[in-house]
Amino acid sequence: MRTSRTHQPLTYDVRLPDEAQADALRLLDASRSVVNGALAILWPYLDEFGSERAGPAWKQVGKFMGSPQYHGDRQWRCESEVVGRILRQQAERKKAFEVIQPILSDGFIRKSTEERPVGKNRPAIKEAITTLQKSLEEDETSFVALQNVSEQSCNYFFQHDRFPATYEELQPLPLLKVGLLTYAGDDGGAKGQAYRLALDLDAGVARFRFRYPDETGVWRWRKVDTLIPLPDCVKERPTRTEELMAPTLREERRADGARFAVLDFIIEVEKTDLPGWESVERVLGADWGVHSLLTATAVDEHSQQVGRPFFLNTGGFDGRQARTRRQIDELKKKVARYEEQRKALSSDDPKRAWFKQKLTVFRREIDRCWRKYEQRNRALAHLASNVLLLLCQVHGCSLLSMESLKTLKTTGRGSGVRGRWRNYRNNSTIRGEIWRLLRYKCHLLGLRFHTEQPRGTSHTCPQCGQPAKTYRSPSDRKEAVKWGRWMYCDTCHYNGDRDYCASVNIARLGVAYLTQMKHTGKARSCSISDPRVKPVTYTGAGAALLLPPTGSHARPIRSGKICYYPGWFGSAFLQSSQEKSVFLRLCG
Ligand SMILES: [Zn+2]
C-alpha cells in the first residue's frame, strides 16, 4: 500500500451481495491455490524479501517466477502482490527472530503452579527485550515484533521442550487458510483488467465488477456490476472516485464452516497539516492507568496544569466482557462433551445427525459471542481515542503525549487469578487498538503525537519532581505498595491518585520534549528524573466540566481528591459540539 506524508488510507469492509458470493468465492479459491503454490516455491528465498523492499511486491516476486497456473497477467500480478507482501512481512519477522534468538532462555518459561499451568514469564521477556532494545533504534513497532516472536518461540518451547534454532523451524510455511486477493497489482478501478470499481454517490453505492472462473473453470468478466451500498461514513464524506484505492477481496469463515466474501475498500483521505512546534502551547499527557483504563491531564508549556484530570474507568465494561468470555467457555465445554459422545456412537447411528445439528448451533453461538466481544473492544477503543482527541481540542492542546505501549499493568480487577489474567490480556489488546487509532486520527486532525517511556512516572512527585511512594489508600500509609493507588511525596507532602500523578508526569515529559523542539529543533525523550523535566503547579484555574455527565445524577460524587462524573462508568457515549464532519471522521 502506498504511504504518503499528505494522505492516509481508511478501510471499510462490506459483505458482497448474495448474487455475487458464489463467483467471488470461486475467484478466492482459485487465487488462494496460486498464492499458496507460489509461497511454497519462494519460501527458501525468504531472505531476499528482507533485503530489498523498493517498489511493489509483485515485481519482486516476478523476478523469481511466473504464474504457476496462468489465468491472466493482471490476475497474477494481484496474486503475486499478496505473495510478496506475505514474504516481506515474514522476512521482517525473521530479522526480529534473529535479534531475540541469542537471548531466548529458560527464564522466559514460567513453571506450572497450583494456580496456573506452565506459561510464559512475561515480565522476564519484557525486561530482556527492553534491555536488548536499548542497543537498537528506538522503535515502537519493533518492540511489538520482538515480543510477538518471543512469545511464538515460547509456544514452540511448550511443544518441543527446546527453543527453535532457526526461524524456519519456528514458523511453518505461512499458507493462506482463507482466500485473500488485493487488487493493488492491477491498473486501477477505471482501467483494471481484473476488476473495476467506481462510486455512484447519488445512488449511495459503489459499482464493483470482477473477473472470475465459472463452474467449468473458464475465466470471464461478470456481466453486471455488483452494487455495494456505501457505509454511512463514506456517504457523509464527499468522496471522489480518485480517492478510491485498490480494494482487497477476502474470505471470512465462521466456526460452523459457513463462508462469504468481503470487499475491503480503501479510501485515501488528506491529512491535516501538523502545527509548527512554535505554535504548540499545551500538552495533553495520557497514562494507561492501573485502576482506570486511561487518565489524561493537560499541562501548558509553563508547566501549569490546565483543567481537571480525566479518568476513563471501564469497570462495567470489563465485567460484561468477562461474562461473555465465561459464556464462551461454557459453550466450548458443551461442544467438547457432545463431540466425545458422538465419537462413541457407531457410524450409522441415527443420533449422529442430532449431535451434528446441536454442534452447529453451539459453534454458531460461540462465533456470535466472539463477534460481540470484539465489537465491544473496538467500540471502546474508538470511544477512548475520541475522548482524548476531544480533550485535546477542549484544552487547546496540539501535542498528545502518550505513555508508551511497553508497559502492561495488571489492573487487579476481575474474579480469581484466571479472570484477572484475561482482563489484563484484553486490556492490552484494547490499548494497542487505541494507540493505533490515535496515531492515525491525530494525523487526520493535525495533532502532534509523541510517546514517552513510562519508567518512574507513577513513582515521581509531579509537584517537586522527587521520587515518591504509593500506598493502598490515602488513609493507609503504614506500608508502601508498588501498585498502591495513592501517591504520597515525603519531600513536599503532595499526594494524589497514582494514575493522575502518572498522567501529569507524562505531560511533563511532553512539555520537556516540546521545549527542546522549540529551542533547538531537535529532541530526545527525557527520563522523568532529568532536570529538563519541570515540576507542575496546579491552581485550579480554567477548571471546567469537560464533558457533560450522561447519567441521571447531575452532581459529581467526591471521593478524596477525585471527582467522579456519574454515567461514565458502565456505558459511555460521547457528546460534542464539533462540526458533524469532524465528528464523523473521528468516529471513523
Ligand atoms: Zn513532592
PDB file of all heavy atoms in Angstrom, residues 461 463-465 489 491-492 494, ligand 1:
ATOM      1  N   CYS A 461       6.987  12.523  42.183  1.00  0.00           N
ATOM      2  CA  CYS A 461       6.049  13.571  42.566  1.00  0.00           C
ATOM      3  C   CYS A 461       5.983  14.616  41.450  1.00  0.00           C
ATOM      4  O   CYS A 461       7.008  15.179  41.070  1.00  0.00           O
ATOM      5  CB  CYS A 461       6.525  14.223  43.862  1.00  0.00           C
ATOM      6  SG  CYS A 461       5.612  15.708  44.276  1.00  0.00           S
ATOM      7  N   GLN A 463       4.774  17.502  41.629  1.00  0.00           N
ATOM      8  CA  GLN A 463       4.881  18.854  42.185  1.00  0.00           C
ATOM      9  C   GLN A 463       6.331  19.269  42.377  1.00  0.00           C
ATOM     10  O   GLN A 463       6.707  20.376  42.051  1.00  0.00           O
ATOM     11  CB  GLN A 463       4.156  18.890  43.528  1.00  0.00           C
ATOM     12  CG  GLN A 463       3.996  20.272  44.072  1.00  0.00           C
ATOM     13  CD  GLN A 463       2.538  20.693  44.019  1.00  0.00           C
ATOM     14  OE1 GLN A 463       2.000  20.909  42.950  1.00  0.00           O
ATOM     15  NE2 GLN A 463       1.913  20.769  45.169  1.00  0.00           N
ATOM     16  N   CYS A 464       7.164  18.343  42.950  1.00  0.00           N
ATOM     17  CA  CYS A 464       8.547  18.721  43.219  1.00  0.00           C
ATOM     18  C   CYS A 464       9.544  17.867  42.446  1.00  0.00           C
ATOM     19  O   CYS A 464      10.747  18.140  42.463  1.00  0.00           O
ATOM     20  CB  CYS A 464       8.841  18.652  44.720  1.00  0.00           C
ATOM     21  SG  CYS A 464       8.870  16.971  45.367  1.00  0.00           S
ATOM     22  N   GLY A 465       9.068  16.827  41.772  1.00  0.00           N
ATOM     23  CA  GLY A 465       9.957  16.043  40.927  1.00  0.00           C
ATOM     24  C   GLY A 465      10.789  14.993  41.653  1.00  0.00           C
ATOM     25  O   GLY A 465      11.629  14.333  41.045  1.00  0.00           O
ATOM     26  N   CYS A 489       4.149  12.114  48.555  1.00  0.00           N
ATOM     27  CA  CYS A 489       5.529  12.578  48.438  1.00  0.00           C
ATOM     28  C   CYS A 489       6.047  12.965  49.815  1.00  0.00           C
ATOM     29  O   CYS A 489       5.484  13.847  50.474  1.00  0.00           O
ATOM     30  CB  CYS A 489       5.605  13.779  47.495  1.00  0.00           C
ATOM     31  SG  CYS A 489       7.228  14.557  47.481  1.00  0.00           S
ATOM     32  N   THR A 491       8.833  14.397  50.450  1.00  0.00           N
ATOM     33  CA  THR A 491       9.597  15.639  50.391  1.00  0.00           C
ATOM     34  C   THR A 491       8.702  16.867  50.557  1.00  0.00           C
ATOM     35  O   THR A 491       8.976  17.734  51.373  1.00  0.00           O
ATOM     36  CB  THR A 491      10.358  15.729  49.048  1.00  0.00           C
ATOM     37  OG1 THR A 491      10.929  14.457  48.780  1.00  0.00           O
ATOM     38  CG2 THR A 491      11.422  16.798  49.088  1.00  0.00           C
ATOM     39  N   CYS A 492       7.630  16.918  49.758  1.00  0.00           N
ATOM     40  CA  CYS A 492       6.804  18.136  49.816  1.00  0.00           C
ATOM     41  C   CYS A 492       5.386  17.849  50.323  1.00  0.00           C
ATOM     42  O   CYS A 492       4.539  18.736  50.327  1.00  0.00           O
ATOM     43  CB  CYS A 492       6.764  18.821  48.449  1.00  0.00           C
ATOM     44  SG  CYS A 492       5.774  17.930  47.229  1.00  0.00           S
ATOM     45  N   TYR A 494       3.033  16.429  48.995  1.00  0.00           N
ATOM     46  CA  TYR A 494       1.992  16.400  47.971  1.00  0.00           C
ATOM     47  C   TYR A 494       1.456  14.971  47.900  1.00  0.00           C
ATOM     48  O   TYR A 494       2.208  14.012  48.036  1.00  0.00           O
ATOM     49  CB  TYR A 494       2.586  16.800  46.617  1.00  0.00           C
ATOM     50  CG  TYR A 494       1.616  16.620  45.481  1.00  0.00           C
ATOM     51  CD1 TYR A 494       0.694  17.618  45.148  1.00  0.00           C
ATOM     52  CD2 TYR A 494       1.593  15.428  44.754  1.00  0.00           C
ATOM     53  CE1 TYR A 494      -0.202  17.437  44.133  1.00  0.00           C
ATOM     54  CE2 TYR A 494       0.685  15.240  43.731  1.00  0.00           C
ATOM     55  CZ  TYR A 494      -0.215  16.245  43.428  1.00  0.00           C
ATOM     56  OH  TYR A 494      -1.120  16.061  42.421  1.00  0.00           O
TER      57      TYR A 494
HETATM   58 ZN    ZN B   1       6.930  16.325  46.106  1.00  0.00          ZN
END
